[in-house]
């Protein structure tokens, strides 16, 4: 881990930021909407803050992350040990963490890579034995697994969790130093923290080595994995997630085996906002090749602190070959506008729905573009999960403005109808673009496209 040793005040640092100016890669189309938060062209990527009015995370004091970090709290990291050390050393002081290259979370303290077999070693866990012990043909489907192999699975899972689960502290900006910077295999958490910025990173493949079999989950049972690429949990607030990429690739769930007649799913969510968290903006990200994407809201029960919280803005993102939950909402007021949802005919992820109206949800979807293949219709875009209302205005399906709620209701049973939600109107928005313009607008503007120029 390298610290910045330039002893400059923030104002002086900004004045000499020519060496740190943001640049986009060759071939990226110039687009003033691609970075609506850059205060000036001279502001280094890692010093930028969320602009006023840019989504729920701009409410109140806004989201500044580690922009005020002193030189002693600017870190250039290239591996897991350096990143974890930076978090620990700075604590909740404003800090900037610049990620260089690809960091693998499944690594030992000496930097060697760890496999699922390494985590299982010494626990007694054997997938072969686990499958034998809990085969529904002999174990049945009326009770969850218990016994030596389930205990061993939990021990092995705990070893992996200790290795890959990292908490990002309050007052942090973490950015990719270049467009190819990223973290693979990690289960990052913003856990009860406040004022966090995550930008210009690729986060991929937080695969669970030890999915749990639950024969009581649904009619046929399910394999349940543990880790999200990024969790915003336990009353975390003021979080800005921008220009990042989230994907399961190259380890897609579609390549996993089938056990007990059910997919052996090793991935959970991409970004989940739960347990009373609040004031989050997700902008200009690219989400691809993932099933259960964005869960906003913990459970249907109010005991997790969700009522009155879970205010999230999701704008100018691309969702490509995403199966469901883009997002699925409980309780929260969630503003979803100017996003592009793309499903290809050869998608490796089965499509279920995009907009999930969950219990007591207030989802406002405006001017989004949906590009769908034959066999998927406008009526499929909304999924109802105990929700009663939703707002859909000016959305386009394959280039045609379409009333998504009307299309859903026309195909839904009487008991599943959704009313128009008149309870709120979004107040924190950047420029609104017509839905038909969104696909071209976002073509080269999402995901990691910046270079900070800092560190070497």
């Amino acid at each position: 881990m390298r610290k910045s040793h330039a002893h400059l005040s923030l104002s002086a640092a900004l004045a000499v930021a020519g060496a740190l100016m943001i640049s986009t890669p060759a071939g990226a189309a110039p687009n003033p909407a691609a970075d609506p938060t850059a205060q000036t062209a001279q502001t280094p990527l890692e010093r930028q803050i969320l602009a006023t009015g840019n989504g729920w995370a701009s409410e109140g004091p806004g989201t500044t992350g580690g922009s005020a970090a002193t030189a002693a709290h600017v870190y250039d990291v290239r591996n897991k040990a350096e990143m974890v050390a930076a978090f620990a050393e700075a604590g909740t002081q404003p800090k900037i963490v610049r990620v260089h290259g690809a960091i693998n979370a499944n690594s030992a303290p000496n930097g060697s890579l760890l496999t699922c077999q390494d985590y299982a070693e010494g626990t007694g866990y054997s997938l072969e034995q686990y499958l034998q012990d809990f085969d529904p043909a002999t174990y049945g489907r009326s009770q969850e697994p218990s016994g030596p192999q389930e205990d061993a699975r939990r021990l092995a899972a705990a070893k992996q969790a200790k290795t890959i689960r990292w908490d990002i502290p309050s007052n942090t900006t973490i950015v990719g130093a270049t467009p190819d910077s990223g973290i693979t295999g990690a289960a990052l958490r913003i856990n009860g923290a406040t004022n966090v910025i995550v930008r210009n990173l690729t986060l991929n493949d937080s695969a669970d080595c030890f999915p749990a079999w639950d024969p009581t989950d649904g009619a046929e049972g399910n394999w349940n994995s543990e880790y999200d690429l990024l969790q915003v949990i336990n009353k975390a607030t003021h979080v800005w997630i921008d220009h990042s990429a989230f994907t399961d690739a190259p380890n897609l769930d579609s390549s996993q085996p089938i056990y007990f007649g059910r997919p052996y799913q090793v991935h959970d969510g991409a970004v989940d906002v739960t347990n009373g968290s609040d004031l989050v903006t997700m902008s200009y990200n690219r989400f691809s090749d993932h099933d259960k994407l964005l869960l906003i809201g913990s459970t249907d029960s109010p005991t997790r602190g969700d009522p009155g919280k879970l205010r999230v803005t999701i704008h100018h993102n691309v969702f490509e070959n995403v199966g469901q939950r883009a997002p699925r909402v409980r309780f929260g007021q969630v503003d979803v506008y100017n996003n592009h949802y793309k499903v290809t005919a050869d998608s490796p992820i089965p499509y279920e729905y995009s907009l999930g109206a969950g219990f007591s949800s207030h989802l406002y979807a405006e001017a989004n573009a949906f590009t769908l293949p034959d066999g998927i219709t406008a009526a499929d875009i909304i999924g109802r999960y105990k929700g009663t209302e939703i707002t859909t205005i000016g959305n386009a399906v394959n280039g045609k403005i379409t009333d998504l709620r009307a299309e859903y209701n026309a195909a839904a049973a009487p008991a599943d109808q959704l009313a128009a939600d008149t309870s709120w109107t979004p107040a924190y928005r950047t420029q609104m673009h017509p839905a038909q313009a969104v696909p071209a607008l976002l073509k080269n503007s999402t995901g990691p496209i910046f270079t900070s120029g800092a560190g070497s």
Side-chain angles (χ1 to χ4, degrees), residues 43 110 133 156 198 246 252 283 289 365 371 395 403 435 452:
T43 305
N110 65 4
D133 288 359
V198 179
F246 299 83
L252 302 184
S283 55
D289 296 329
T371 302
N395 299 284
D403 187 334
S452 76

Side-chain angles (χ1 to χ4, degrees), residues 34 36 43 62-63 94 99 117 134 136 178 201 318 325 347 383 397 429 448:
T43 305
T63 301
V99 176
Q117 289 74 20
F134 302 116
T178 61
L201 283 168
V318 169
R325 302 184 183 181
S347 172
V397 179
R429 285 181 166 179

Side-chain angles (χ1 to χ4, degrees), residues 58-75:
S58 68
E59 198 246 15
T63 301
T64 60
S67 60
T70 64
H73 289 150
V74 178
Y75 305 88

Side-chain angles (χ1 to χ4, degrees), residues 126-139 149 260:
S126 160
L127 176 58
E128 182 180 5
Q129 188 63 51
Y130 190 89
L131 294 173
Q132 181 176 324
D133 288 359
F134 302 116
D135 187 336
T138 54
Y139 187 78
Q149 271 301 301
F260 306 152

Side-chain angles (χ1 to χ4, degrees), residues 179-268:
D180 61 354
S181 298
I183 306 171
T184 185
L188 297 174
R189 303 194 303 185
I190 302 171
N191 182 10
T194 188
N195 195 29
V196 174
I197 295 174
V198 179
R199 299 186 77 193
N200 211 49
L201 283 168
T202 294
L203 304 179
N204 73 298
D205 191 21
S206 56
D208 187 345
C209 285
F210 310 101
W213 168 245
D214 184 356
T216 70
D217 183 357
E220 302 176 35
N222 274 305
W223 291 95
N224 294 315
S225 54
E226 177 66 22
Y227 309 115
D228 303 323
L229 288 163
L230 178 62
Q231 285 185 312
V232 183
I233 58 174
N234 296 332
K235 301 182 180 179
T237 63
H238 288 285
V239 175
W240 181 30
I241 304 164
D242 176 75
H243 275 100
S244 292
F246 299 83
T247 181
D248 290 345
N251 182 30
L252 302 184
D253 280 337
S254 57
S255 67
Q256 303 300 323
I258 301 292
Y259 295 128
F260 306 152
R262 304 296 295 159
Y264 189 68
Q265 193 168 55
V266 299
H267 300 102
D268 193 14

Side-chain angles (χ1 to χ4, degrees), residues 92-104:
T92 60
Q93 294 297 309
K95 74 196 73 63
I96 291 169
V97 179
R98 295 184 293 233
V99 176
H100 295 259
I103 293 176
N104 195 316

Side-chain angles (χ1 to χ4, degrees), residues 378-395:
D380 300 318
I381 290 170
I382 296 174
R384 178 180 176 270
Y385 298 89
K386 301 183 183 178
T388 59
E389 54 194 357
I390 191 172
T391 298
T392 59
I393 300 173
N395 299 284

